[in-house]
């Protein structure tokens, strides 16, 4: 699709403000960090289970509740009799110490009885799609068949099915393939396991996967991954903020137990009201980075958990320091090291490119104020073994018992109006001699009276409106202007299942249900910034205008990239002067995100607010451009 030509002829009388913007292309203010735009992830809002992790079965290992097989139900016809229960006397293994006992006691001729799972708010059915099913089962004395089916919620329509008669008296893993035909997409479906005669069988780890990104067997959801790849992230911060710490020490991210086959992963308690399967383990995070061509930013547990539990610095912390060192070794160790060899055994002999490690998360919440000692002890141990790694403090700019961190982690969840006010001067007081700045979590919300952590926020849509995208954009412009010292930043949270009851925090960058995915206005603002970035910071000054912005130049091509944000409900005519250039190509590319402040995207309207690319004619070193009301604009000017 060819760009649309837009004239620079303006109707100045219709504009509410004057003002001007000057860009100094002769004197770059510094180099833009090559890692500036990245992603942050954690298990919240069903980001992994029920989100990016492609497993479709909920509670596949029957461990989500110790008393009952939640999210499973018995399926039977008429007078047929069948029952299911958890059985701790027939464990699959030490990691999964319980199984599902399913007994059919009465069954009519040519009928079947079974147990069903509706997944994470529905099993997604797509046409002409192959699903990979697997389960463990044993059935001493049972000589019948087991059938699997993806079917409508009432069971009247079967979209795909498969059958096996391989059950024996011992546990065995069975794999089957289910294929749909030319059917209409729907999430009003369930997954059913059935027996065709009376008898008793035990089941464990009942799994169903759709096609995954790069066809990984324990892989990621394709449409969500495409949304992330389209942002061109330079890094991924994982395993996340609160998910790293857990509510209690024993609930911290158990990286060792997330390695290897999924049947050896017990999962663990999450901190947002649901349990994690740990299908997304340490290696999956690292391969996720690899698939996006993004650098891993690893956070290690530092001895503090959300409910206030902490480990004292000193001998008590030593086992946790070893845990952190072993984790780093798994990521970057040679195959002649213990954990490097384990990584190779898990299928990835080559080490990953790790340069930054964060010590803990939001340790300013530690009321006992023990972080200084804990940080210092971890700092010394990691630097002694891996002196090339840069260490990130979760308390920005603090010196911890004399140890100066390489990087400080900022978190900022502010209302749009607050970002608009503080963004122009943000970063001016940063010490350019360090530590480096990492804005590890940030996001704008629309209303200062309804903060993301307030109960009232849960009544709002999971993803933000255009008003929040304005706040996000002015803050990104501020971070980009300070890209010499702000080395990395990432919006948070990244993902949210938008079904009622599925999300615990808003706003979130990307929304989805079982069948569909969409980007919020903030997603598109982020994409406009992350995909259009030079390597040289060009100083920007402005006067008498509400428009905020930043500018960079690609030193290889000479392209000047100007990013502008109009927070006002009226058009803004902005004279732009570019010093240090004698000529510009007359045509420029313009990318515009503009809409009413209340407009947003959703499952039913995924691109109601989305960028539009046009062409601008008549560009020169001094020209005037009019920004639409409530808009984010990227101007790409060619100097050669």
């Amino acid at each position: 699709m060819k760009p649309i030509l837009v004239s620079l002829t303006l109707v100045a009388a219709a504009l509410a403000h004057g003002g001007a913007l000057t860009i100094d292309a002769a004197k770059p203010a510094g180099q833009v960090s090559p890692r500036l735009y990245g992603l942050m992830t954690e298990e919240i809002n069903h980001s992994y289970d029920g989100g990016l992790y492609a497993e479709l079965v909920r509670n596949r290992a029957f461990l989500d509740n110790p008393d009952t097989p939640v999210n499973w139900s018995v399926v039977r016809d008429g007078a047929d009799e069948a029952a299911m229960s958890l059985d701790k006397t027939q464990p699959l293994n030490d990691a999964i110490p319980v199984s599902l006992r399913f007994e059919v006691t009465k069954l009519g001729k040519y009928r079947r009885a079974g147990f069903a799972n509706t997944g994470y708010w529905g099993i997604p059915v797509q046409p002409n799609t192959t699903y990979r099913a697997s389960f463990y089962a044993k059935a001493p004395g049972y000589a019948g068949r087991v059938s699997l089916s993806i079917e409508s919620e009432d069971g009247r329509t079967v979209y795909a099915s498969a059958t096996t008669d391989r059950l024996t008296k011992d546990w065995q893993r069975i794999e089957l393939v289910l294929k749909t035909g030319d059917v209409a997409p729907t999430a009003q479906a369930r997954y059913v396991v059935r027996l065709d005669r009376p008898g008793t069988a035990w089941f464990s780890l009942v799994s169903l996967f759709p096609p995954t990104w790069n066809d990984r067997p324990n892989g990621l959801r394709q449409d969500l991954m495409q949304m992330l790849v389209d942002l061109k992230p330079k890094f991924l911060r994982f395993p996340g903020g609160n998910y790293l710490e857990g509510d209690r020490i024993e609930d911290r991210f158990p990286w060792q137990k997330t390695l290897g086959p999924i049947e050896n992963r017990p999962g663990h308690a999450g901190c947002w009201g649901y349990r994690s399967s740990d299908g997304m383990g340490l290696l999956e995070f690292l391969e996720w980075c690899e698939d996006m061509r993004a650098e891993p930013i690893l956070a290690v547990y530092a001895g503090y958990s959300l409910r206030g539990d902490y480990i004292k610095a000193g001998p008590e912390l030593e086992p946790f320091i070893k845990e952190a060192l072993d984790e780093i070794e798994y990521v970057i160790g040679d195959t002649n090291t213990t954990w490097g060899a384990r990584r190779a055994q898990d299928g990835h002999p080559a080490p990953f490119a790790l340069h930054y490690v964060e010590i803990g998360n939001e340790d300013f919440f530690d009321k006992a104020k023990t972080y200084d000692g804990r940080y210092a002890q971890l700092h010394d141990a990691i630097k002694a073994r891996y002196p090339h790694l840069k260490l990130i403090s979760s308390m920005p700019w603090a010196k911890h018992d004399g140890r100066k961190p390489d990087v400080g982690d900022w978190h900022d969840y502010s209302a749009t109006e607050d970002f608009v006010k503080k963004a122009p001067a943000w970063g001016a007081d940063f010490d350019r001699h360090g530590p480096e700045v990492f804005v590890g979590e940030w996001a704008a919300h629309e209303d200062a009276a309804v903060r993301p952590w307030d109960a009232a926020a849960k009544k709002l849509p999971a993803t933000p409106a255009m008003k929040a995208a304005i706040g996000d954009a002015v803050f990104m412009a501020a971070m980009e202007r300070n890209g010499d010292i702000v080395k990395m930043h990432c919006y948070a949270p990244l993902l949210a299942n938008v079904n009622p009851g599925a999300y615990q925090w808003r706003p979130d960058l990307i929304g989805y249900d079982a069948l569909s995915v969409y980007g919020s206005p903030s997603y598109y603002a982020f994409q406009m910034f992350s995909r259009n970035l030079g390597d040289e910071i060009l100083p920007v000054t402005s006067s008498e205008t509400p428009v905020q912005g930043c500018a960079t130049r690609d030193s290889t091509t000479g392209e000047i990239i100007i990013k502008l944000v109009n927070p006002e409900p009226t058009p803004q005519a902005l004279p732009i002067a570019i010093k240090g250039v004698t000529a510009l190509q007359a045509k420029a590319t313009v990318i515009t995100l503009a809409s009413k402040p209340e407009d947003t995207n959703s499952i039913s309207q995924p691109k109601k607010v989305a960028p539009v690319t046009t062409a601008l004619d008549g560009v020169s070193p001094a020209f005037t451009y009019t920004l639409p009301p409530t808009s984010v604009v990227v101007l790409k000017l060619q100097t050669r």
Side-chain angles (χ1 to χ4, degrees):
M1 182 175 178
K2 293 184 178 179
I4 304 168
L5 288 178
V6 177
S7 172
L8 275 173
T9 303
L10 306 172
V11 184
L15 306 177
H17 295 278
L21 188 92
T22 301
I23 297 167
D24 190 348
K27 299 176 181 178
Q31 296 294 308
V32 179
S33 168
R35 299 181 179 91
L36 192 58
Y37 291 89
L39 304 179
M40 182 271 183
T41 180
E42 66 176 299
E43 180 59 296
I44 184 174
N45 306 320
H46 286 276
S47 292
Y48 304 155
D49 293 332
L52 184 64
Y53 182 52
E55 172 67 79
L56 298 180
V57 175
R58 191 170 185 178
N59 191 21
R60 66 184 179 187
F62 308 104
L63 294 172
D64 284 4
N65 186 298
D67 302 316
T68 185
V70 293
N71 298 304
W72 292 93
S73 60
V74 174
V75 175
R76 56 181 178 265
D77 298 319
D80 296 343
E81 296 179 1
M84 65 179 182
S85 61
L86 298 181
D87 192 341
K88 296 180 180 179
T89 71
Q90 301 292 328
L92 177 63
N93 53 35
D94 291 340
I96 303 179
V98 67
S99 61
L100 182 78
R101 183 181 188 271
F102 186 71
E103 182 179 15
V104 179
T105 54
K106 181 181 178 181
L107 194 64
K109 191 175 183 180
Y110 305 122
R111 290 213 291 257
R112 299 169 296 168
F115 51 100
N117 190 283
T118 54
Y120 296 91
W121 296 273
I123 298 290
V125 177
Q126 297 283 7
N128 305 308
T129 300
T130 298
Y131 297 79
R132 292 180 290 104
S134 65
F135 61 91
Y136 282 84
K138 67 176 184 176
Y142 177 76
R145 292 185 172 187
V146 174
S147 63
L148 310 177
S149 61
I150 302 172
E151 58 187 48
S152 59
E153 291 176 333
D154 60 9
R156 295 180 180 178
T157 303
V158 176
Y159 300 108
S161 63
T163 303
T164 182
D165 55 4
R166 292 170 47 203
L167 299 194
T168 66
K169 63 181 181 66
D170 298 315
W171 285 113
Q172 62 175 327
R173 185 173 188 269
I174 297 172
E175 296 182 68
L176 295 170
V177 171
L178 289 77
K179 295 183 179 180
T180 60
D182 189 16
V183 299
T186 182
Q188 306 301 309
R190 65 188 185 186
Y191 181 53
V192 185
V193 181
R194 286 187 174 90
L195 304 185
D196 69 350
R197 66 188 63 187
T200 303
W202 285 263
F203 294 86
S204 185
L205 207 67
V206 179
S207 175
L208 181 68
F209 271 85
T212 58
W213 187 266
N214 282 347
D215 201 31
R216 295 191 189 277
N218 190 49
L220 307 181
R221 181 170 158 173
Q222 289 180 328
D223 55 355
L224 270 175
M225 268 297 287
Q226 189 63 60
M227 293 287 288
L228 301 178
V229 169
D230 286 347
L231 293 175
K232 292 192 175 180
K234 297 301 190 297
F235 69 87
L236 175 71
R237 175 187 175 223
F238 70 89
N242 296 341
Y243 188 62
L244 169 70
E245 307 159 84
D247 279 337
R248 301 167 299 172
I249 294 169
E250 57 266 33
D251 299 329
R252 69 194 184 279
F253 178 63
W255 68 267
Q256 302 100 323
K257 295 180 181 179
T258 71
L259 303 177
I262 58 174
E263 61 266 26
N264 295 332
R265 305 184 190 187
H268 74 287
C271 45
W272 292 99
Y274 59 95
R275 197 169 182 277
S276 173
S277 71
D278 285 339
M280 285 285 289
L282 179 56
L283 183 59
E284 283 76 22
F285 283 118
L286 292 164
E287 290 176 332
W288 176 11
C289 294
E290 200 168 60
D291 287 346
M292 295 190 299
R293 298 182 180 179
E295 183 179 315
I297 306 295
L298 175 69
V300 297
Y301 182 70
Y304 169 76
S305 293
L306 284 169
R307 292 187 179 177
D309 294 347
Y310 64 89
I311 307 296
K312 293 180 181 178
E316 292 182 20
L317 191 62
E318 284 300 318
F320 297 88
I321 290 176
K322 183 180 185 306
E323 192 175 286
L325 291 173
D326 288 347
E327 185 173 14
I328 295 169
E329 184 176 279
Y330 184 90
V331 178
I332 62 176
D334 294 334
T335 54
N336 59 2
T337 64
T338 300
W339 288 101
R342 175 57 195 271
R343 184 193 65 245
Q345 177 188 325
D346 292 340
H348 202 288
F352 292 90
L354 181 70
H355 299 99
Y356 288 83
V357 171
E358 181 155 9
I359 297 176
N361 176 72
E362 294 185 334
D363 286 85
F364 47 78
F365 284 121
D366 178 9
K367 294 181 180 179
K369 300 186 184 305
T370 64
Y371 186 60
D372 282 348
R374 292 185 287 107
Y375 176 90
Q377 199 170 343
L378 277 153
H379 177 281
D380 291 351
I382 295 172
K383 286 290 188 180
R385 186 174 298 185
Y386 304 105
H388 69 285
L389 291 178
K390 289 190 174 184
L391 301 184
I392 305 170
S393 165
S394 75
M395 295 177 65
W397 298 303
K399 289 185 179 180
H400 309 295
D401 289 353
R403 280 72 164 183
K404 183 179 180 181
D406 299 297
V407 189
D409 184 0
W410 260 66
H411 292 182
D412 194 339
Y413 295 103
S414 294
T416 287
E417 61 190 73
D418 294 327
F419 273 135
V420 169
K421 290 176 183 176
K422 68 185 176 182
W426 190 88
D429 58 348
F430 289 170
D431 182 354
R432 258 51 195 182
H433 300 291
E436 297 174 355
V437 177
F438 173 34
V439 188
E441 295 183 28
W442 65 267
H445 50 278
E446 300 90 339
D447 186 350
V450 184
R451 300 168 302 178
W453 49 89
D454 292 338
K458 298 177 184 179
K459 299 178 182 179
L460 299 173
T463 53
M466 181 66 194
K467 182 177 179 180
I470 293 296
D472 294 329
V474 295
F475 190 46
M476 283 189 288
M479 289 188 282
E480 196 166 305
R481 289 195 303 270
N482 291 278
D484 59 323
I485 188 66
V486 180
K487 298 300 182 181
M488 300 175 288
H489 71 77
C490 42
Y491 185 106
L494 177 63
L495 301 169
N497 190 311
V498 299
N499 281 286
Y503 59 93
Q504 299 79 44
W505 179 287
R506 64 87 60 198
D508 308 290
L509 201 64
I510 298 170
Y512 50 87
D513 61 10
L515 204 61
S516 305
V517 61
Y518 70 93
S520 65
S522 294
Y523 169 89
Y524 289 112
F526 189 101
Q527 184 186 69
M528 289 165 65
F529 273 69
S530 67
R531 292 173 66 102
N532 298 284
L533 183 64
D535 59 326
E536 294 179 331
I537 303 168
L538 301 183
V540 174
T541 57
S542 60
S543 63
E544 299 180 359
T545 176
V547 175
Q548 298 187 32
C550 60
T552 60
R553 177 171 52 201
D554 186 322
S555 61
T556 302
T557 65
E559 181 179 58
I560 293 175
I561 303 162
I562 306 171
K563 295 166 182 171
L564 303 171
V565 187
N566 177 17
E568 296 297 315
T570 52
Q572 300 297 314
L574 186 67
I576 299 173
I578 304 176
K579 299 193 301 183
V581 296
T582 56
L584 291 169
Q585 290 187 17
K587 287 185 180 179
T589 299
V590 183
I591 306 170
T592 304
L593 184 71
S595 197
K596 297 177 182 178
E598 66 273 17
D599 286 348
T600 192
N601 295 332
S602 63
I603 293 293
S604 60
Q605 293 182 296
K607 290 190 176 181
K608 181 178 181 179
V609 183
V612 175
T613 300
T614 58
L616 183 66
D617 210 2
V619 174
S620 68
F623 67 100
T624 299
Y625 183 77
T626 299
L627 284 83
T630 321
S631 63
V632 182
V633 173
V634 176
L635 301 175
K636 304 179 73 173
L637 314 181
Q638 303 298 325
T639 60
R640 301 172 188 170

